Amino acid sequence: MNIFQLLAEACTACQGFHTSHSRRAWSHSATMDDLKKLPIKSKLMTVGQFREDGILNLNYYCGMKRAPNKGASKRPAVRKDGSRCTQKKKGSGVASKTTDQATCSMQDGVIQDDIHSVSSVDVYLQQLVQEEGYTFVDRLGSTIILQDFNLDLRQLQRHIFRFVSRRSVKFIDCYDWAYACSCNPSNHDLIWNMDCCQQVKYIGSNEHGYASYSEIVSQVFILNGSHEVPHLGVIVSSHTFDRIGVVKCEDDKTICMVCNRPCLHTNALKLYRENMTHDNTPEPIQHIFENMGSPKLPQNREKRSSKPISFKPIPFHVTQDFKMKINTGFKKLAYQDPTTGRYVLLPDGHLCPHCGHAITTQQFTATHEDIPVFLRDEIARADVFSVTCSMCERVVPCDGQEYSVLNMGHFLIGYDVLRDYLNNFLHGSRPVYTYFRVWEDNLDDRGITHSELTYHRFLNAWYGFLSLVDVDFRNGFSCPLCEKNEGGLPQIIICDGTSLSFRRDMMTVHAEPEETCYFERTSTHSSRVFLRSRQTRELLQRYCSPATPMSERDHKDLLSAMSTNHHTLHMFLLSIDDGSRRCPPPYRRFLSDISRNFPVCSLLPSSPPVRELVQMLLSGVNIRQLPGKWAALQAHVPLLFDLFCADASLIPLPIALHELLKDMWAVSQQPFIHSSLNHQCDSVPSKPRAYFPSLPLLHCRGRYGADKSPPDSSCEKTFRGHPFLLPGIFTIFCEHGICYGFELMESCESANIPFSIFNTRFTKAPSVVIYDFACNLHAYCLNRDPIFFQETRFLVDRFHWKNHKACPSSYHLSSYPSLSHLNSQVNEQANAGLKKIKGQVSYMSEDHFLSHCELYLYNKNHHLRKSLLGNH
């Protein structure tokens, strides 16, 4: 198949399944049955040429064999001049090869043709070929970018593009190509989920079609998912997008001509433009960006920027001098010209912000005249001046901080308004729009006109103010008490995810960091549990059930399985058996936890204190007579502590329990025997969606052999996601309630998020991690970096423990009296506070969402830090 046949089929497919719309052609799609009923049998003909008189000869073109239109008139078509047009065959789309030609005239760039002689598909195809309104995304021609076609005007729409994808589909009696257009995503999904051909048909190239095709392919450049389209713009495609976009750079703007709105494609190109370098960017792409003209502005109207002219940092914590300026007010700080009645604002400061040289000249230039100054209770007028530095010859604008206002260029807005909303945002749940409307109503009550300040201008002023707020985030996201620990890191972490997020289509495209380090899995889950057989575990759990005794057959099967595979446990069961086929109460919890499908190291942690305690017990030491060791046993191994409390005769250890404990300790060490610390990666990638000011990245995460395996844990957690919003953010807190940062979750909450945070930002793993899915997190860490988390205790908070039916009690926070003082709900309580700003930030861009979250959490930390420092 050649290029013109492929174009003809694509045009026919779109034409066959779409009807005209006043604004957007091809808005409706037929069913898959209609797709099969439309046989597309194209043969290559010579493409018609324009004659000197402007008549397009359509003697030879790609003819489409279709069934005759039953509703069409059988009379010959009549042109506007009264002449009749003859056809070779009724119902045929092929024109006659004799003197009775089908013709169309070019009038004002619009083709006026005979509807009955030349179909819209044929006209569309001709215009695409003549004006080069198409390009191919791949070499197999599976995706084609086409200019849209207006069925009413019968001409190309040069600023609207569609992409047509095709796939070889298996029908009942044959294989055939099926086409889908981007204007109907449901039809695309329908075709792409049909039974497809096992081999993709190869698109051959003949002499005529190959030349045109290779000319296009030779100008395509793959740049982080972007392809340059000759004469049109930039094709933006990525594995993260569901659709392909055609982005045009014009007047310092990027416009997607497929989506017809700001979208992921325009965001991707903007990001590429910001980060591109001339060393790795091909010349055509550089040419597109370098030749972008300046915005076309209306006459006598200047360009209005959404970014502030002000540049000085604005203190978040109000100093005494700053309080004095706000209390004095703008009208007393600025000089009022008695002639015009307007206030005069001069550049404040004696040093040039660009070169640091002292400004000595007093020659000021008017930058903006008679612009509004929006204050909380009134509106004033002002003239703003600038000065030119004599050293660097750069313009120094008026910042406005000396007058307690923010300079936005064409208007000024008082700090009293912006700080008033800042406090509303930090302590309430009032969105910007609500505050703006209340402020407008207050001015209306005073009879003050405020039409010059629109909501979008106010929103830009707020964003500009927020970007200048001076905050020490590194100090604000750290605990003053945890800083005294080894390494200055928190030892106890409480973490969880919250549903606070923003729209998925507002995400900024970031390049995924390349993980170069690979680590093999050193142990398996089955080697870490005490009872590997599921049937044996179920029998032992039935034995520990207090409801009814086991049947005689089940009891015999249990003892038989134990004697074969677990000799030490068999000896212990025989030593406590009282003939009732039911576990005695003092030993139920101990045996029940052993029978769980979880690592033994969750019962006997592999930490130095526990290792010392186990050695003392195996040596026959009566630790009940050693208060320090007895308290350590309660703090680190509550399972053995409760067992010894229930049966005092077990100390010193009897021979059966001695051998069982020895066997359990050997299994608990299994994950760490052949493991090493997996921190050999030196590269430090950037993570723009993670915000931990006091916990910078130390190294990359790396790739692990267990990443391709399903989770080992038998405990599950279900998630309900929002159809349009991202899952949320994942926050970590210390035991004192200080938030150390958060990470944006791009997919459903998983153990990979806390693992990556601890593994890449902590020099030493926390001693305790409290998480509502800690059982799964423990298994996840053991599968990847067991040495790093060898001394970490993973615990489930008190509120969520009721949902963990299959987990051993060693994961329950309440099992450890030494941690009874912890508020395990500190994360849940903080997340409840975050919901106050959910209505405002959910529909922000990614950058604004992150900046609002960090400021909100910083303010919470600031008040808690003051309380902690005051109490200590």
Side-chain angles (χ1 to χ4, degrees):
M1 183 183 294
N2 55 70
I3 184 173
F4 297 108
Q5 287 177 297
L6 186 57
L7 278 175
E9 293 197 2
C11 298
T12 308
C14 293
Q15 180 71 17
F17 299 124
H18 300 81
T19 59
S20 176
H21 193 274
S22 59
R23 290 189 177 181
R24 180 180 179 185
W26 317 337
S27 59
H28 302 287
S29 174
T31 62
M32 181 55 63
D33 294 334
D34 297 330
L35 175 66
K36 184 55 186 169
K37 291 176 183 177
L38 182 65
I40 303 172
K41 304 296 183 182
S42 305
K43 60 180 181 179
L44 178 65
M45 309 291 286
T46 304
V47 179
Q49 301 292 332
F50 281 101
R51 299 201 314 237
E52 294 180 0
D53 57 359
I55 302 299
L56 175 62
N57 189 340
L58 294 178
N59 286 344
Y60 304 98
Y61 64 103
C62 293
M64 306 298 164
K65 297 181 180 180
R66 304 184 189 83
N69 187 354
K70 296 181 180 181
S73 174
K74 297 182 180 181
R75 294 179 297 175
V78 181
R79 300 189 182 94
K80 293 183 178 181
D81 58 1
S83 61
R84 295 180 180 273
C85 174
T86 61
Q87 297 179 347
K88 181 179 180 180
K89 187 182 294 186
K90 293 181 180 180
S92 173
V94 181
S96 173
K97 296 185 180 180
T98 61
T99 56
D100 294 329
Q101 303 181 61
T103 61
C104 65
S105 58
M106 295 292 294
Q107 299 178 2
D108 300 328
V110 180
I111 299 180
Q112 305 292 339
D113 61 359
D114 191 323
I115 297 178
H116 297 283
S117 300
V118 183
S119 68
S120 298
V121 174
D122 302 329
V123 176
Y124 184 21
L125 176 61
Q126 289 290 328
Q127 294 187 28
L128 281 176
V129 173
Q130 291 291 338
E131 302 188 24
E132 299 182 2
Y134 64 92
T135 192
F136 290 81
V137 178
D138 56 1
R139 291 185 175 273
L140 291 178
S142 60
T143 303
I144 314 172
I145 296 291
L146 304 172
Q147 287 184 357
D148 204 345
F149 184 73
N150 190 308
L151 291 176
D152 297 327
L153 300 178
R154 296 170 71 83
Q155 68 177 1
L156 294 179
Q157 295 179 284
R158 292 174 175 80
H159 300 291
I160 301 178
F161 289 82
R162 309 293 179 203
F163 68 90
V164 178
S165 303
R166 69 171 187 162
R167 191 182 191 190
S168 181
V169 176
K170 180 180 180 181
F171 295 97
I172 296 178
D173 55 345
C174 65
Y175 288 96
D176 207 344
W177 291 109
Y179 291 79
C181 183
S182 61
C183 62
N184 196 320
S186 60
N187 192 33
H188 182 276
D189 295 339
L190 180 68
I191 292 176
W192 246 243
N193 286 284
M194 291 186 66
D195 192 6
C196 64
C197 179
Q198 298 299 321
Q199 292 183 339
V200 180
K201 295 181 179 180
Y202 175 74
I203 301 177
S205 301
N206 59 22
E207 182 178 357
H208 187 86
Y210 182 78
S212 176
Y213 178 69
S214 62
E215 181 181 357
I216 295 174
V217 172
S218 64
Q219 300 181 57
V220 174
F221 297 90
I222 300 177
L223 299 168
N224 296 330
S226 297
H227 308 263
E228 193 241 344
V229 183
H231 312 299
L232 302 181
V234 177
I235 294 180
V236 179
S237 62
S238 173
H239 63 86
T240 59
F241 302 155
D242 295 330
R243 302 174 58 184
I244 298 175
V246 178
V247 181
K248 182 179 181 181
C249 300
E250 185 179 70
D251 295 342
D252 202 23
K253 295 180 181 178
T254 52
I255 304 171
C256 183
M257 293 178 283
V258 172
C259 303
N260 201 22
R261 60 180 174 83
C263 60
L264 287 173
H265 309 118
T266 58
N267 291 340
L269 197 62
K270 287 179 182 178
L271 178 66
Y272 174 75
R273 184 189 178 194
E274 293 173 358
N275 298 327
M276 77 170 189
T277 62
H278 290 273
D279 297 333
N280 59 11
T281 304
E283 185 176 348
I285 299 293
Q286 295 182 24
H287 181 74
I288 288 179
F289 290 141
E290 291 174 357
N291 288 277
M292 288 170 52
S294 58
K296 297 179 181 179
L297 301 171
Q299 293 183 355
N300 300 326
R301 187 175 178 183
E302 302 177 51
K303 178 182 176 181
R304 299 192 174 184
S305 174
S306 60
K307 296 183 179 180
I309 303 297
S310 300
F311 55 87
K312 289 185 178 181
I314 302 173
F316 177 79
H317 304 291
V318 181
T319 61
Q320 191 63 33
D321 181 60
F322 203 79
K323 289 181 181 178
M324 186 179 300
K325 290 180 181 179
I326 295 178
N327 293 332
T328 302
F330 168 78
K331 289 190 172 182
K332 293 183 179 180
L333 293 172
Y335 167 75
Q336 186 176 18
D337 189 342
T339 305
T340 60
R342 299 193 294 263
Y343 292 88
V344 178
L345 275 66
L346 302 177
D348 43 351
H350 304 288
L351 298 178
C352 175
H354 306 295
C355 64
H357 185 263
I359 299 176
T360 57
T361 180
Q362 296 297 321
Q363 296 180 357
F364 299 103
T365 304
T367 306
H368 299 91
E369 297 180 351
D370 194 20
I371 61 174
V373 184
F374 298 100
L375 306 174
R376 186 167 59 180
D377 300 322
E378 56 186 327
I379 300 177
R381 312 295 298 187
D383 296 332
V384 183
F385 293 81
S386 63
V387 66
T388 302
C389 177
S390 58
M391 178 62 68
C392 63
E393 297 183 352
R394 299 178 69 177
V395 176
V396 179
C398 175
D399 179 84
Q401 190 168 123
E402 292 295 324
Y403 306 100
S404 191
V405 293
L406 182 72
N407 185 1
M408 291 296 295
H410 285 269
F411 68 94
L412 305 168
I413 186 167
Y415 284 172
D416 55 346
V417 180
L418 297 170
R419 289 201 67 89
D420 185 42
Y421 176 69
L422 176 65
N423 294 326
N424 274 270
F425 166 73
L426 294 176
H427 302 287
S429 56
R430 179 180 291 184
V432 182
Y433 183 80
T434 303
Y435 179 87
F436 176 73
R437 291 306 179 195
V438 172
W439 177 78
E440 277 190 323
D441 291 343
N442 290 335
L443 292 182
D444 287 337
D445 293 344
R446 296 178 176 84
I448 302 174
T449 304
H450 50 78
S451 58
E452 291 180 280
L453 184 62
T454 63
Y455 167 68
H456 292 288
R457 278 191 167 191
F458 182 82
L459 187 63
N460 288 332
W462 163 248
Y463 288 154
F465 174 81
L466 197 61
S467 66
L468 294 175
V469 171
D470 185 21
V471 180
D472 183 7
F473 286 112
R474 181 180 180 85
N475 187 51
F477 280 85
S478 62
C479 177
L481 303 183
C482 294
E483 289 175 351
K484 302 175 183 178
N485 298 334
E486 180 183 356
L489 299 173
Q491 296 297 317
I492 300 177
I493 290 293
I494 306 170
C495 55
D496 195 12
T498 178
S499 60
L500 181 70
S501 61
F502 62 98
R503 287 175 60 100
R504 191 181 299 273
D505 57 356
M506 297 296 288
M507 286 180 63
T508 304
V509 179
H510 297 289
E512 293 293 332
E514 183 179 359
E515 300 287 357
T516 57
C517 303
Y518 181 80
F519 306 105
E520 290 288 352
R521 189 170 181 170
T522 56
S523 66
T524 61
H525 177 74
S526 60
S527 66
R528 299 192 291 260
V529 297
F530 193 71
L531 301 177
R532 300 187 180 185
S533 171
R534 178 179 179 181
Q535 183 179 5
T536 305
R537 291 196 300 267
E538 292 177 351
L539 287 173
L540 185 57
Q541 290 172 18
R542 204 175 306 163
Y543 176 72
C544 297
S545 175
T548 55
M550 295 181 69
S551 64
E552 185 174 351
R553 180 176 179 178
D554 287 345
H555 188 259
K556 184 180 298 185
D557 291 342
L558 173 64
L559 295 178
S560 176
M562 293 298 176
S563 62
T564 304
N565 301 316
H566 303 282
H567 178 66
T568 57
L569 185 56
H570 179 251
M571 292 176 53
F572 183 75
L573 290 178
L574 293 178
S575 66
I576 64 172
D577 189 16
D578 56 1
S580 62
R581 301 193 304 276
R582 185 186 302 178
C583 179
Y587 314 103
R588 282 176 184 168
R589 178 187 170 189
F590 175 72
L591 293 177
S592 177
D593 284 357
I594 291 179
S595 67
R596 303 296 176 177
N597 187 27
F598 285 88
V600 178
C601 59
S602 66
L603 309 175
L604 292 175
S606 181
S607 61
V610 176
R611 183 179 294 105
E612 183 182 1
L613 289 171
V614 171
Q615 291 175 353
M616 294 178 67
L617 289 171
L618 295 178
S619 301
V621 177
N622 187 354
I623 63 173
R624 195 189 297 272
Q625 300 176 356
L626 303 173
K629 300 303 179 182
W630 184 245
L633 185 68
Q634 182 188 31
H636 297 284
V637 195
L639 180 67
L640 291 180
F641 179 82
D642 293 342
L643 177 65
F644 296 152
C645 290
D647 188 353
S649 63
L650 296 178
I651 295 182
L653 299 181
I655 185 63
L657 183 57
H658 179 278
E659 295 301 317
L660 177 60
L661 181 60
K662 185 178 180 180
D663 198 6
M664 288 177 61
W665 179 251
V667 177
S668 71
Q669 301 304 301
Q670 188 64 33
F672 317 106
I673 295 177
H674 303 291
S675 301
S676 60
L677 194 63
N678 296 333
H679 287 174
Q680 294 86 6
C681 297
D682 297 328
S683 60
V684 182
S686 61
K687 298 197 70 174
R689 296 193 177 101
Y691 188 80
F692 297 91
S694 60
L695 298 173
L697 280 171
L698 303 176
H699 51 80
C700 66
R701 175 189 181 273
R703 294 182 296 115
Y704 297 88
D707 289 341
K708 300 180 181 179
S709 305
D712 296 327
S713 176
S714 59
C715 191
E716 297 181 354
K717 182 178 181 179
T718 57
F719 303 93
R720 292 180 296 175
H722 194 279
F724 306 115
L725 303 181
L726 288 168
I729 61 175
F730 193 89
T731 55
I732 66 170
F733 289 77
C734 74
E735 59 181 306
H736 306 106
I738 296 294
C739 178
Y740 269 76
F742 61 91
E743 181 170 345
L744 182 64
M745 296 186 293
E746 302 177 34
S747 57
C748 291
E749 180 183 341
S750 68
N752 176 56
I753 299 175
F755 168 79
S756 299
I757 294 173
F758 301 141
N759 182 265
T760 60
R761 298 179 184 273
F762 281 66
T763 55
K764 182 181 179 181
S767 59
V768 177
V769 174
I770 301 175
Y771 178 42
D772 61 357
F773 206 19
C775 50
N776 178 268
L777 177 59
H778 188 202
Y780 191 93
C781 295
L782 290 177
N783 285 334
R784 287 156 181 82
D785 203 348
I787 294 296
F788 185 69
F789 295 96
Q790 184 173 2
E791 300 181 17
T792 302
R793 169 69 71 181
F794 295 88
L795 303 176
V796 178
D797 61 89
R798 302 180 184 94
F799 178 76
H800 291 95
W801 176 250
K802 61 178 179 289
N803 301 321
H804 293 255
K805 306 297 183 183
C807 299
S809 60
S810 57
Y811 285 114
H812 189 195
L813 177 61
S814 296
S815 299
Y816 301 86
S818 59
L819 302 177
S820 60
H821 65 284
L822 291 179
N823 177 15
S824 64
Q825 296 302 302
V826 62
N827 199 296
E828 298 286 346
Q829 293 165 0
N831 290 344
L834 283 170
K835 292 180 180 179
K836 294 181 179 180
I837 63 174
K838 188 173 184 178
Q840 175 175 343
V841 302
S842 294
Y843 296 92
M844 289 181 175
S845 65
E846 180 178 322
D847 292 340
H848 290 149
F849 172 85
L850 295 175
S851 62
H852 280 71
C853 288
E854 67 185 76
L855 187 65
Y856 183 86
L857 290 171
Y858 169 83
N859 185 65
K860 293 293 184 182
N861 284 351
H862 170 68
H863 292 285
L864 186 56
R865 281 174 58 89
K866 289 172 60 178
S867 176
L868 292 174
L869 293 173
N871 295 334
H872 293 78

